[in-house]
Amino acid sequence: MKFTAFLKTRGATAAIFMGIFYAVAMLGIFLPGYTAIPGNVDKLPIAIINDDAGKNGAMIAENLQENLPFKEIETDITNKQALKDLEHNDLALVVHIPKTFSENIKKGEASSSIDFTINEAGATVVSSTMNAIVTEINSQLSTQFSQQTAQGVLMNFNVPEKQAAELAEKIEKSYVGNVVTINEIPDGMNHNMLPMFLTMAGYVGAMIGAMQLVGAFRASRGKASKTRLFTYVQMAALLIAVVSSIIAVGVAYLIDKPSGDLFFGIVGQQILNYMVCFNFTAILIFLFGEGGMILNLPILLMQTIANGATITRDMMHAPYEWMSHISPMYYSVQAYFANLFGSISPSPYIWSMALVGAVAMLINMAIVAFLQKPMPVQVSETEVEKKAAEITA
């Protein structure tokens, strides 16, 4: 057999096709998706709340609105509501200028600070970007107000050494930026990426499981009714979901050591994640057989960007944002962030993920009922002999 003849075999042509297809799909999906960083940072919504009774607060609020690189800046909102929206990741940053800010600045008190609040339990790009921006703002404000305080308190240089030291400290501390981080995530990228890795472990396992179990469904046609075989497929998937989820969460606990109180909740979500992803990916396999697996790959790649672990919906380009609304991965990742690190309930994301799974299962049931041709159920020789024995008896 010549090498050219070998290259024409089904396995070789399939390998060549997949090598080219996967390279084009991965680069064609990842590279455009990540152009949103930092290009779409200006789409992140923030809030600036000025409660200051003096002029300084209004001046700072106006300057921030003019100079910060954000298109959506909420100002007509209370600090309490803004912090609530921040917890739900509806805002990326909350800037609060307190009521006594101008008064404290005049006195040169260290309590003259502005609160910058950031939520870490969300997309990693958002928290890192907000931290960089807040650092720059605080640096500029510190320089500005130190100069103003110096002009107000150092009217001459003939002051005693002790008094000069006190004045110097007063100038240095005339403004102190107060950076508040809610829902802090422990140090280490392994913690930041845990929601995404748990989700992807379930998704990839479910996608491969769908290919294998739907293949078993097709191979078993004629040995049982379509309804029974479909039920067997779902039961087998559930069994795999339970076993694989316990093992996956166990590995996560060995490495990341989340709170023990969360164990059963995380296992439950991982089981749901597997079942939803299984039915989601099984749609194309029920429709197109092994060819459905090829179509599932670019959908998986899109969801690695659309799941919200790295960038938020506000930053995503339109195709990825659309995908996030039907993506099991998006809802799973957000639920894990809320459950592992957040201070809000993961229930809305859990219910959304369950809805995606229910719709996917209904679609699969419809495909099996209306598109899969019925086949006569073959009776095995053992069953024939058993029935014959019953008749004879």
Side-chain angles (χ1 to χ4, degrees), residues 13-300:
T13 54
I16 294 169
F17 172 79
M18 287 303 296
I20 297 171
F21 176 80
Y22 192 77
V24 171
M26 187 169 186
L27 294 174
I29 290 171
F30 278 6
L31 295 182
Y34 282 113
T35 60
I37 308 169
N40 288 352
V41 167
D42 60 343
K43 294 184 178 180
L44 292 173
I46 71 167
I48 300 175
I49 301 98
N50 176 31
D51 290 332
D52 184 24
K55 295 180 180 179
N56 284 309
M59 177 190 69
I60 291 173
E62 184 179 350
N63 287 338
L64 289 176
Q65 290 181 62
E66 291 177 356
N67 297 317
L68 285 178
F70 302 108
K71 295 178 181 178
E72 187 178 343
I73 300 178
E74 293 190 40
T75 56
D76 189 18
I77 187 174
T78 64
N79 188 49
K80 183 178 180 180
Q81 181 59 47
L83 292 176
K84 185 177 180 181
D85 290 345
L86 182 68
E87 287 185 342
H88 288 80
N89 285 314
D90 294 328
L91 290 172
L93 172 68
V94 174
V95 182
H96 179 230
I97 305 172
K99 185 176 181 179
T100 58
F101 180 74
S102 290
E103 182 182 346
N104 292 337
I105 283 291
K106 289 180 181 178
K107 296 177 181 178
E109 295 181 1
S111 57
S112 55
S113 62
I114 297 174
D115 294 332
F116 298 89
T117 309
I118 301 166
N119 184 8
E120 282 197 355
T124 54
V125 167
V126 174
S127 58
S128 61
T129 301
M130 293 303 111
N131 270 305
I133 289 174
V134 168
T135 299
E136 180 62 25
I137 293 172
N138 278 328
S139 176
Q140 293 180 8
L141 289 177
S142 180
T143 301
Q144 177 183 344
F145 284 107
S146 293
Q147 291 173 350
Q148 290 183 7
T149 305
Q151 292 173 3
V153 299
L154 292 180
M155 302 304 295
N156 58 75
F157 296 99
N158 298 319
V159 292
E161 183 177 349
K162 183 178 179 180
Q163 188 177 354
E166 292 175 353
L167 290 175
E169 184 179 358
K170 190 175 184 180
I171 292 169
E172 185 180 350
K173 294 183 178 180
S174 61
Y175 169 80
V176 179
N178 185 28
V179 181
V180 181
T181 302
I182 62 172
N183 303 325
E184 289 190 38
I185 297 177
D187 293 335
M189 281 297 291
N190 56 307
H191 295 289
N192 290 80
M193 301 306 293
L194 180 59
M196 180 175 173
F197 288 160
L198 275 172
T199 298
M200 286 197 69
Y203 191 102
V204 174
M207 184 173 67
I208 296 172
M211 181 181 69
Q212 300 295 337
L213 291 177
V214 173
F217 171 90
R218 291 174 179 274
S220 302
R221 294 291 305 280
K223 298 179 181 178
S225 66
K226 293 189 298 182
T227 302
R228 176 171 290 189
L229 288 175
F230 183 80
T231 303
Y232 288 167
V233 166
Q234 296 295 326
M235 290 172 62
L238 180 58
L239 176 63
I240 297 168
V242 172
V243 175
S244 64
S245 296
I246 293 173
I247 294 173
V249 175
V251 172
Y253 266 80
L254 285 174
I255 298 171
D256 279 27
K257 299 178 176 61
S259 170
D261 297 338
L262 301 174
F263 181 82
F264 290 106
I266 297 173
V267 169
Q269 181 182 329
Q270 190 71 0
I271 293 171
L272 176 63
N273 175 43
Y274 186 98
M275 291 302 297
V276 172
C277 295
F278 174 84
N279 280 283
F280 184 81
T281 56
I283 293 173
L284 292 174
I285 300 175
F286 270 121
L287 284 173
F288 305 111
E290 292 182 1
M293 193 66 175
I294 298 174
L295 298 175
N296 270 324
L297 285 174
I299 295 174
L300 166 64

Side-chain angles (χ1 to χ4, degrees), residues 226 230 360-372:
K226 293 189 298 182
F230 183 80
M361 181 180 285
L362 288 174
I363 293 173
N364 286 325
M365 291 171 67
I367 293 171
V368 170
F370 300 111
L371 298 182
Q372 299 284 345

